[in-house]
Amino acid sequence: MFELAKQRLEPVFKHIVVDEEVVERLSIAKRSIIASIPVRMDNGELRIFTGYRVQYDDTRGPTKGGIRYHPRVNLDEVTSLSFWMTVKCAIAGLPFGGAKGGITVNPKELSNLELERLSRGYIRAFSDVIGEDQDIPAPDVYTNATIMGWMANEYAVLNRRQVPSMITGKPLHLGGSEGRESATGLGALFVLNEYATRHDWLRSETTVAVQGFGNVGYHFARLAQAQGYRVVAVSDSKGAIYSPTGLNIEDVYRYKHREHQLASVYCEGSVCQLLEFDILTNDELLELNVDVLVLAALENQITQLNAEHIQAKTVLEIANGPVTPPADEILQENGTVIIPDVLANSGGVIVSYFEWVQNKAGFYWSKEEVEKRLKEKISREAKTVFDQAKTYDCSIRTAAYIHGIERLAGAIDQTGNRQYFAKSRQAESS
Ligand code: GLU
């Protein structure tokens, strides 16, 4: 996966020239740590979990990135995700490098107390290498504000002082930021709006299908509908629902939460009187003929196997890495425009940055203030990326990478490069 992730850099170097040393520095993670995390389970037995933290590059600032709990977490995946965080923070213009963490676990199989012990164990395992000016974790797939709260507390216990800025995505009462929970979905919507305005889309005629109905997919779908887009389909791991006239996202959310899965919406009685829809498989949702296909689930959802069947005109990547590079090429050949993850999902880390700033200042902003600043920041970077795609006549993904790599290369260069040292050697010898 990491080798595939790095392939995204190849087209960038066809458009911009960066020093070979920058390329070398960007092709390998600065630090990768694997730790075993022993947890006493509720039944008295001991289970040892594997945890990871990869700090990819910290030239532009302390490293930043979420912690993922998933049975498929491994070093290769965490490294790829940390590489994307590095590029993402640079594209967003944040004073951060990139990192990522994870634990190989199916969190749904653990009790809440086991989950708390595991989360505290993660911080004990990595507390020496994380910190407010070193490496700042956050939520990712299957981690949330409660887990961030336990982690902040464990760090405070170990260090015998409160350091709220050592982790972001915390609950509001523990120093979290207003607007953090919906930030990734809202940020993606601001990016889509920027694109829609440029192409004179009429929102009420723009059909949208959303794969993934977790925190990010739900907020995106809800806000997109509120802003006038026609959200016709949503899916979770159990299946999808589709209504050509548009779904009522709040109703879908309510019923999903009552029964814990979208399948519950396929029931009889009151729900079905409220909601009219067809039932689709997840694959069918991906292949719907819609204007915008939003990928808000996991990586590798569109591959060589299904890329030919994608009919959407625009794909908005909110998950990290949902389209593989070979699939990317097929989509491009078929005229599908991709708004890439490193731009589209940066709203989460942007508001994490705002949370860090507020924690450090000890001064907290209103939700309106946070959302206003998010809109300003992400729309500005999106505009630059869309303009660069025109200037370089390249895909939006390549333009986004160009934008981020220029910032990263600038920073790496400033730490000293071959020419600089050659000059100082000459000066010494003359
Ligand atoms: N996990 C999120 C991401 O992939 C947020 C990271 C953060 O806020 O540091 O962008």
Side-chain angles (χ1 to χ4, degrees), residues 64-67 85 88 100 136-141 168 180 184 320 345-346 348-350 352:
K64 184 87 191 79
I67 301 171
M85 282 308 301
K88 194 191 305 187
K100 201 79 175 198
I136 307 131
D140 197 73
V141 173
T168 59
R180 175 63 185 84
T184 310
N320 290 306
N345 72 22
S346 61
V349 72
I350 291 175
S352 273

Side-chain angles (χ1 to χ4, degrees), residues 151-372:
M151 290 182 164
N153 178 261
E154 188 64 25
Y155 191 83
V157 170
L158 290 172
N159 289 277
R160 304 187 67 77
R161 65 194 175 104
Q162 293 288 346
V163 194
S165 51
M166 58 71 57
I167 199 163
T168 59
K170 299 178 292 295
L172 267 184
H173 297 300
L174 295 178
S177 175
E178 291 282 358
R180 175 63 185 84
E181 199 177 299
S182 49
T184 310
L186 182 62
L189 187 60
F190 288 143
V191 173
L192 184 68
N193 286 346
E194 198 55 52
Y195 186 81
T197 307
R198 286 186 174 226
H199 294 86
D200 298 323
W201 287 2
L202 201 61
R203 289 189 193 168
S204 58
E205 283 174 15
T206 305
T207 52
V208 180
V210 183
Q211 186 212 28
F213 206 61
N215 172 46
V216 175
Y218 157 66
H219 283 296
F220 175 85
R222 174 180 69 80
L223 295 163
Q225 188 190 33
Q227 292 196 13
Y229 291 93
R230 187 140 52 94
V231 182
V232 294
V234 295
S235 72
D236 66 7
S237 54
K238 308 266 172 10
I241 54 175
Y242 170 61
S243 163
T245 51
L247 294 163
N248 183 330
I249 299 303
E250 289 295 14
D251 282 346
V252 175
Y253 182 79
R254 248 197 321 277
Y255 294 116
K256 175 183 157 81
H257 275 257
R258 206 169 63 189
E259 305 292 332
H260 304 299
Q261 58 190 51
L262 272 183
S264 66
V265 191
Y266 314 154
C267 68
E268 293 134 25
S270 60
V271 180
C272 303
Q273 285 151 20
L274 281 171
L275 305 168
E276 278 184 19
F277 47 74
D278 293 330
I279 297 163
L280 304 179
T281 63
N282 228 308
D283 289 346
E284 285 168 334
L285 175 133
L286 293 179
E287 293 168 16
L288 280 174
N289 187 358
V290 286
D291 296 306
V292 186
L293 172 63
V294 179
L295 301 174
L298 281 171
E299 56 260 20
N300 300 340
Q301 297 301 300
I302 301 186
T303 66
Q304 272 157 304
L305 299 177
N306 59 356
E308 283 292 357
H309 305 141
I310 303 301
Q311 299 187 64
K313 290 160 207 71
T314 305
V315 168
L316 181 69
E317 295 183 333
I318 314 193
N320 290 306
V323 178
T324 63
D328 204 325
E329 267 175 39
I330 301 173
L331 292 183
Q332 276 187 59
E333 274 162 25
N334 293 344
T336 303
V337 172
I338 304 175
I339 306 181
D341 49 5
V342 283
L343 171 68
N345 72 22
S346 61
V349 72
I350 291 175
V351 175
S352 273
Y353 164 60
F354 295 160
E355 181 174 332
W356 181 78
V357 168
Q358 292 171 78
N359 290 153
K360 281 194 164 258
F363 178 74
Y364 289 85
W365 311 344
S366 67
K367 190 169 183 195
E368 290 71 37
E369 178 78 26
V370 169
E371 293 185 346
K372 187 177 123 248

Side-chain angles (χ1 to χ4, degrees), residues 25-44:
R25 285 269 293 273
L26 288 179
S27 13
I28 187 153
K30 180 177 177 195
R31 175 147 68 173
S32 313
I33 307 168
I34 306 181
S36 57
I37 306 171
V39 175
R40 184 67 57 195
M41 306 301 278
D42 292 346
N43 65 5

Side-chain angles (χ1 to χ4, degrees), residues 77-151:
E77 183 193 56
V78 178
T79 307
S80 311
L81 291 160
S82 70
F83 166 75
W84 286 325
M85 282 308 301
T86 306
V87 176
K88 194 191 305 187
C89 290
I91 293 171
L94 306 178
F96 290 142
K100 201 79 175 198
I103 303 180
T104 314
V105 60
N106 181 355
K108 292 178 188 165
E109 285 172 1
L110 302 192
S111 72
N112 268 348
L113 284 173
E114 288 168 342
L115 205 56
E116 180 183 354
R117 292 196 282 271
L118 177 66
S119 305
R120 289 181 182 277
Y122 184 90
I123 293 301
R124 284 197 297 278
F126 293 102
S127 69
D128 288 342
V129 295
I130 57 179
E132 58 172 347
D133 294 318
Q134 196 177 358
D135 178 17
I136 307 131
D140 197 73
V141 173
Y142 289 140
T143 51
N144 55 24
T146 306
I147 293 176
M148 298 305 111
W150 292 330
M151 290 182 164

